[in-house]
Amino acid sequence: MPKNKEKLTIVVNGHPTEVEANENAPIRTVIPKALAESGNTGRPPEDWKLTDEDGNPLDLGRKIEDFGFAPGVTLVLSLRAGAGG
């Protein structure tokens, strides 16, 4: 893995997707990547929320490196309640 890059596993609609991310970028940058990789392109990134495995929401403005994720971490991307629909 190149320096400053990190692989994150993001579960989208129950299916894990691996995303390569720049650890110096805000965590919000992984949302459109995970949606594209998983084929979930029908809803804009703003309609989704990113949480840890326990369901705790992540501050989308924080840099990825600031979270100190352990290797093999899994995050969950799900539709926000009441988004669209």
Side-chain angles (χ1 to χ4, degrees):
M1 180 74 41
K3 191 173 183 173
N4 297 337
K5 295 286 183 181
E6 188 167 339
K7 274 204 192 245
L8 300 173
T9 299
I10 302 176
V11 176
V12 184
N13 286 336
H15 301 287
T17 302
E18 278 202 0
V19 175
E20 187 174 292
N22 181 331
E23 62 187 23
N24 295 313
I27 191 79
R28 77 169 40 94
T29 61
V30 302
I31 295 173
K33 290 178 183 181
L35 293 173
E37 287 289 322
S38 66
N40 285 282
T41 56
R43 303 291 285 270
E46 301 81 43
D47 286 356
W48 298 82
K49 65 178 179 178
L50 188 63
T51 64
D52 62 17
E53 283 186 289
D54 295 327
N56 300 308
L58 300 178
D59 179 350
L60 299 180
R62 286 180 62 193
K63 289 182 181 181
I64 293 168
E65 68 180 349
D66 292 344
F67 289 97
F69 293 129
V73 68
T74 298
L75 305 176
V76 179
L77 189 58
S78 56
L79 281 171
R80 294 182 185 276

